[in-house]
Amino acid sequence: MPVLTRLIPSPVVVDIRPGALDDLGCVLADERISQSGRLAIAVSGGSGARLRERVAPSLPGADWYEVGGGTIDDAVRLASDIKGGHYDAVVGLGGGKIIDCAKFAAARVGLPLVAVATNLAHDGLCSPVATLDNDAGRGSYGVPNPIAVVIDLNVIREAPVRFVRSGIGDAVSNISAVADWELAHRVNGEKIDGLAAAMARQAGEAVLRHPGGVGDDGFLQVLAEALVLTGIAMSVSGDSRPSSGACHEINHAFDLLHPKRAAAHGEQCGLGAAFAMYLRGAHEESAAMAEVLRRHGLPVLPEEIGFTVDEFVRVVEFAPETRPGRFTILEHLDLKTEQIKDVYADYVKAIGS
């Protein structure tokens, strides 16, 4: 008998709206994630502490754990602290570092993870990956998807606007990443998961084509949904392919070559996506993407994040080394230094300076 359907790994509940944080306890009880209220809540010492004052009265059965940062040691320490606490779930309340630490700790002790995002900086809030710093630099660790995702748009608006801009760049870069996946299929026969590709591409297109701005609830809703869908797309495909192509290789190259000067993840991914679209000959799409990124205040030229043309050329040249085995437009073209310089000059003319 043929398999007619498949199960999609996804959260039991996704609650994105103004005021969602105030109803966290009720949502978890209604969805039978934690009817007892026994929760281990991981927060940062900064914004997390302020949110704790706000949320703690509605979660009297919860224990609170302050997480120092986003390292593997922090995550292991958190797992050790909550082990044996007889909790229903682990809640990561904060930005990407806190949520990734909570993801890893929850997986280590065998508890479900509730992701309560306080910013929209990137698509990791609902992904099956925890990105944590280690002695060798930074590593990605496979973990289960969050069982619930809660995003309070009122809290999102209180965060610095640069976090929203970073999320925009990360979401829009899906379009380039899926194009790289399709290229790998055409050239190398790499298998594409059509559902994962469709989810990631439509998430990116929704953000790209929305007329609103970073201060609009409607736009923030679409951006939050896009980031959640992207995380689910990665779960469906079993890897980061739906959202990571040349755009993310360029981002990783910035981070590795210039660790103390690198810009925000989404800023670098957005710039990398616009340039990668130009490389593959999609000049009109590249210009349109650059126009939208500019409208939201994101960089589309390396000079706008403090890098020279020569530094950017080196970043692009080095980028394929960051993901051995991944095939993108960068590996396909295999451009040398002078060729990258020439293409970059054409890219600048095409998008307008």
Side-chain angles (χ1 to χ4, degrees):
M1 178 178 178
V3 177
L4 301 180
T5 62
R6 61 171 166 172
L7 297 177
I8 298 176
S10 63
V12 172
V13 59
V14 175
D15 189 10
I16 305 172
R17 58 186 169 85
L21 185 59
D22 297 326
D23 299 330
L24 177 61
C26 294
V27 169
L28 298 185
D30 290 346
E31 298 295 335
R32 299 186 179 182
I33 296 170
S34 177
Q35 292 180 306
S36 73
R38 288 288 297 156
L39 300 167
I41 304 182
V43 294
S44 69
S47 60
R50 293 191 293 273
L51 287 171
R52 175 179 177 176
E53 293 179 4
R54 171 179 165 184
V55 178
S58 64
L59 299 171
D63 291 329
W64 296 77
Y65 297 89
E66 187 173 313
V67 178
T71 70
I72 185 67
D73 290 339
D74 292 319
V76 170
R77 190 177 304 112
L78 175 62
S80 177
D81 289 344
I82 65 179
K83 186 178 181 180
H86 304 290
Y87 298 111
D88 298 325
V90 178
V91 178
L93 172 58
K97 290 183 178 180
I98 302 301
I99 290 176
D100 280 356
C101 276
K103 280 183 187 178
F104 184 94
R108 194 175 179 95
V109 300
L111 288 172
L113 185 279
V114 178
V116 183
T118 57
N119 68 58
L120 299 178
H122 57 77
D123 58 25
L125 59 95
C126 191
S127 73
V129 176
T131 303
L132 300 166
D133 294 332
N134 54 43
D135 292 338
R138 181 165 293 175
S140 297
Y141 304 87
V143 295
N145 267 77
I147 195 172
V149 176
V150 176
I151 302 175
D152 189 328
L153 297 182
N154 292 334
V155 174
I156 298 302
R157 282 200 305 271
E158 294 171 2
V161 70
R162 69 178 185 275
F163 290 127
V164 174
R165 291 189 175 118
S166 180
I168 293 168
D170 207 15
V172 167
S173 74
N174 288 3
I175 299 167
S176 176
V178 173
D180 278 326
W181 202 3
E182 292 171 338
L183 174 67
H185 172 70
R186 291 195 302 272
V187 175
N188 294 334
E190 182 176 331
K191 184 179 179 180
I192 293 180
D193 188 305
L195 177 59
M199 293 171 70
R201 177 163 34 214
Q202 291 309 308
E205 291 282 357
V207 174
L208 184 72
R209 301 184 185 284
H210 196 285
V214 295
D216 303 335
D217 270 357
F219 178 77
L220 292 178
Q221 181 91 27
V222 168
L223 175 60
E225 291 170 351
L227 297 175
V228 170
L229 278 175
T230 302
I232 297 172
M234 286 188 268
S235 293
V236 169
S237 69
D239 61 20
S240 62
R241 228 355 176 158
S243 65
S244 177
C247 48
H248 278 62
E249 289 182 335
I250 290 172
N251 166 70
H252 295 319
F254 271 122
D255 289 344
L256 291 171
L257 295 177
H258 306 283
K260 295 183 179 180
R261 295 171 55 201
H265 172 88
E267 289 181 330
Q268 294 174 171
C269 289
L271 165 59
F275 184 64
M277 293 299 287
Y278 189 84
L279 284 178
R280 63 175 49 90
H283 296 170
E284 292 184 5
E285 292 88 340
S286 173
M289 184 179 290
E291 181 181 357
V292 171
L293 292 172
R294 277 181 169 146
R295 178 167 65 84
H296 289 299
L298 280 96
V300 293
L301 298 172
E303 298 94 323
E304 295 167 354
I305 51 174
F307 291 95
T308 67
V309 172
D310 286 342
E311 287 173 329
F312 181 67
V313 169
R314 175 58 184 145
V315 162
V316 174
E317 193 173 30
F318 178 75
E321 298 182 36
T322 67
R323 293 302 302 267
R326 179 148 294 184
F327 190 83
T328 76
I329 190 63
L330 297 178
E331 288 80 3
H332 181 59
L333 296 178
D334 191 24
L335 300 176
K336 307 308 177 186
T337 303
E338 293 303 317
Q339 293 173 305
I340 298 172
K341 285 184 178 180
D342 291 342
V343 175
Y344 177 74
D346 294 337
Y347 165 76
V348 173
K349 293 177 183 177
I351 67 169
S353 57

